Amino acid sequence: MGVVSQPTSASECEAVLARQREHFWSGRTRSLPARQEALGRLRAGIRAREEAILAALSADLGKSPEEAYATEIAFLYQELRFAERHLRKWVRSQRVRRDLLQFPGRGRIHREPFGCCLLLGPWNYPFQLLLAPLVGALAGGNTAILKPSEVAPASEAVLAELIADSFEEGQVAVVRGGVDTSEALLALPFDKIFFTGSTRVGHLVAATAAQRLIPCTLELGGKSPTIVGKSADVSLAARRIVWGKFLNAGQTCVAPDFVLVHHNHYDALLRKLDLEIRARFGEDPRLHPQYGRIIHRGHHDRLTALLQGESPLRGGEADAEDLYLAPTVIAEPTPDSPLMEEEIFGPILPVLPFERTEEVISRLRDQPAPLALYLFSRDAQELSLLRKSLPSGGICVNGTLLHLLSPRLPFGGVGASGMGNYHGKASFEAFTRPRSELRMPARWPWHLTDRRRPLPLAFLRRWLR
Ligand code: NAD
């Protein structure tokens, strides 16, 4: 088994990649049993470290064991189970129909692994956001270097140990380090890059990958709007918005960023959000075991700065030492508030009223495309209009976050929120590419292209139209 590698210098990163390249071209990652074995190793590695994973998530983010298990470990088991169940079908090459021009040749499409992949992860769900792409990379028959976020150090250490104990370094390795290490890795000739993180760094990753024409998947962030329409069930909307917004203390890429509510329901929604927060986290959420913490002081400072000049309807209490920020609701933030400019990525929920659906459309259409769009409505026409009029990576109707939990629904962004998809079969497809093969029979005596003189133009015009 491999040793935990901690290359920080460019030359050390290069050496790990060289070992992975050798491993990949040895062909050892490609057979179906090899892929199944790799997925089994990953499952066993996670299973053996469940307690360590829960402890790391508690140390890094104050996540409760229930939340950590459901959103990180159980999610990974589901992705692994789905891949293991369907892999045999996914890897099978596909026959295509014979065409006249290639007759009697036979065409096939193989799903080809890219080779050596680089996976860069963020800190908010540090396990599943690196290991779910790894499921796709292994199912696809690739090798992978994982670079966890340095900002969640306890999780980074468990990830490094898990991978080192489960895989040879030539197949999967964890490289630890900060931005310098990410930059050193990005300078190397990987065959595929899978990046999850901010839109700002996503731009840098895409620009670097473009220099070598390396294909990349970008899973980025953005401001996911939540629209509560005139026909919505307001109690249900409040309950599901509070769950999706304050999970992981709002540090979820697809968390509802702000709410636009029909003016008829504005007061009722504010009241119900308040009741729901109390019902879920008690009078003092700081003491509630299910309420998490902000990742670090810098992020805490950024979030509290967003509250300057605002008068929270509820919450707003902050303790920098404890990295605590209460679940906070802001009714109608000031017009030039940064809350409505940048991705909040914390437990602050602005709520604004609207009168007409067209108003919502013209307001949101000028914004960068978000990762998710949440619609609470019982009016099929309104839902259809909003779906057709507003771009987003995914949509969830009368719920929040749930769409990303299904391996049957590809997950990803569009425009500023990313490019490419994963989860379930989409993960396999993200780490493989179609490779076409045409096989002509070795002994067939004659083919159209064997003619030394061109076919008459009249014949070509008649038959190839
Ligand atoms: P980040 O972009 O700061 O960091 C992500 C990774 O990039 C880390 O591994 C980091 O080491 C590396 N990195 C940072 N600066 C870099 C640079 N200059 N050059 C090269 N690499 C660099 O993101 P974060 O703060 O860890 O995560 C929060 C962001 O991620 C939010 O915007 C959130 O919406 C987004 N996110 C998206 C998804 C998704 O699935 N689409 C999931 C989680 C988080």
Side-chain angles (χ1 to χ4, degrees):
M1 297 293 169
V3 182
V4 178
S5 53
Q6 297 191 26
T8 45
S9 71
S11 62
E12 283 167 312
C13 292
E14 213 173 334
V16 181
L17 178 60
R19 281 195 283 283
Q20 293 217 343
R21 198 163 293 292
E22 205 181 304
H23 189 96
F24 177 74
W25 286 113
S26 76
R28 282 189 282 159
T29 59
R30 297 180 70 128
S31 71
L32 179 62
R35 297 180 200 208
Q36 282 165 333
E37 198 211 325
L39 294 174
R41 281 174 184 275
L42 181 55
R43 171 192 297 285
I46 298 170
R47 186 86 71 204
R49 278 173 196 77
E50 283 186 2
E51 289 310 319
I53 292 172
L54 297 182
L57 289 167
S58 168
D60 286 335
L61 287 146
K63 282 193 202 192
S64 69
E66 294 82 2
E67 181 181 325
Y69 189 88
T71 60
E72 302 248 20
I73 297 177
F75 177 84
L76 286 167
Y77 287 153
Q78 175 180 259
E79 281 290 308
L80 279 161
R81 197 163 42 244
F82 195 82
E84 282 165 340
R85 201 171 285 162
H86 295 93
L87 192 56
R88 184 179 293 278
K89 200 167 59 210
W90 295 343
V91 297
R92 219 174 273 151
S93 64
Q94 244 184 309
R95 253 202 211 172
V96 297
R97 261 183 50 184
R98 265 186 241 253
D99 284 310
L100 194 60
L101 202 61
Q102 286 85 26
F103 187 85
R106 272 186 184 286
R108 295 191 91 87
I109 304 168
H110 307 283
R111 288 304 306 192
E112 195 74 5
F114 280 104
C116 303
C117 304
L118 172 63
L119 278 51
L120 294 167
W123 48 260
N124 58 333
Y125 291 85
F127 289 92
Q128 64 120 314
L129 291 174
L130 264 185
L131 298 184
L134 180 63
V135 172
L138 295 174
N142 301 275
T143 67
I145 292 183
L146 277 54
K147 212 303 271 163
S149 171
E150 66 283 12
V151 169
S155 304
E156 185 197 31
V158 175
L159 270 166
E161 189 192 286
L162 188 163
I163 294 298
D165 286 352
S166 309
F167 296 97
E168 283 176 54
E169 199 181 54
Q171 186 173 15
V172 188
V174 166
V175 166
R176 298 172 70 174
V179 173
D180 288 353
T181 307
S182 292
E183 286 172 347
L185 286 165
L186 284 167
L188 297 177
F190 282 95
D191 302 306
K192 163 89 193 185
I193 297 174
F194 190 104
F195 171 79
T196 306
S198 61
T199 303
R200 181 186 69 81
V201 180
H203 275 111
L204 302 175
V205 171
T208 316
Q211 285 168 14
R212 291 185 186 264
L213 297 181
I214 300 174
C216 57
T217 300
L218 301 175
E219 297 287 338
L220 311 177
K223 291 182 80 63
S224 298
T226 302
I227 300 164
V228 180
K230 193 175 172 185
S231 64
D233 176 334
V234 182
S235 305
L236 182 129
R239 198 174 325 135
R240 295 186 181 168
I241 292 170
V242 166
W243 174 70
K245 177 69 187 185
F246 299 109
L247 189 79
N248 199 21
Q251 302 162 111
T252 303
C253 55
V254 279
D257 190 89
F258 59 93
V259 177
L260 298 175
V261 52
H262 190 271
H263 65 109
N264 284 359
H265 300 315
Y266 181 62
D267 292 333
L269 183 72
L270 288 173
R271 223 177 25 254
K272 290 188 186 222
L273 286 171
D274 184 47
L275 285 174
E276 192 57 39
I277 292 171
R278 279 174 214 277
R280 225 171 244 279
F281 302 115
E283 286 307 316
D284 188 357
R286 182 201 303 248
L287 305 176
H288 200 282
Q290 295 302 325
Y291 191 66
R293 292 296 182 267
I294 304 304
I295 183 76
H296 56 61
R297 183 67 188 258
H299 193 44
H300 191 274
D301 290 348
R302 188 185 76 79
L303 289 167
T304 47
L306 288 177
L307 292 176
Q308 294 302 313
E310 304 292 347
S311 325
L313 187 79
R314 116 164 292 291
E317 301 84 15
D319 178 350
E321 286 304 306
D322 188 23
L323 295 172
Y324 170 75
L325 179 57
T328 300
V329 178
I330 309 276
E332 282 196 80
T334 48
D336 53 352
S337 167
L339 280 172
M340 297 310 292
E341 296 294 322
E342 52 188 90
E343 180 185 5
I344 296 173
F345 212 55
I348 305 172
L349 183 67
V351 182
L352 300 94
F354 71 87
E355 291 196 5
R356 291 179 318 113
T357 311
E358 291 70 22
E359 206 185 298
V360 172
I361 293 170
S362 64
R363 178 184 187 131
L364 297 183
R365 213 185 250 161
D366 295 337
Q367 308 289 322
L371 196 52
L373 176 62
Y374 299 116
L375 308 173
F376 286 88
S377 173
R378 285 181 283 200
D379 176 345
Q381 264 184 334
E382 185 184 36
L383 287 172
S384 163
L385 175 69
L386 287 166
R387 184 169 53 78
K388 286 182 194 151
S389 310
L390 297 172
S392 71
I395 304 184
C396 187
V397 175
N398 296 320
T400 58
L401 315 193
L402 287 174
H403 62 300
L404 76 87
L405 299 179
S406 167
R408 290 183 173 81
L409 294 174
F411 172 71
V414 60
S417 55
M419 57 187 184
N421 291 282
Y422 76 127
H423 290 181
K425 190 177 184 194
S427 295
F428 174 79
E429 288 172 344
F431 285 95
T432 54
R433 62 176 193 86
R435 186 182 194 190
S436 300
E437 177 185 352
L438 178 73
R439 190 172 294 190
M440 300 292 285
R443 292 178 190 278
W444 189 262
W446 190 82
H447 182 260
L448 213 56
T449 50
D450 296 336
R451 275 175 64 92
R452 297 203 170 106
R453 267 181 296 153
L455 286 163
L457 189 57
F459 175 89
L460 289 172
R461 281 211 167 115
R462 170 135 195 218
W463 292 103
L464 302 178
R465 43 201 296 147

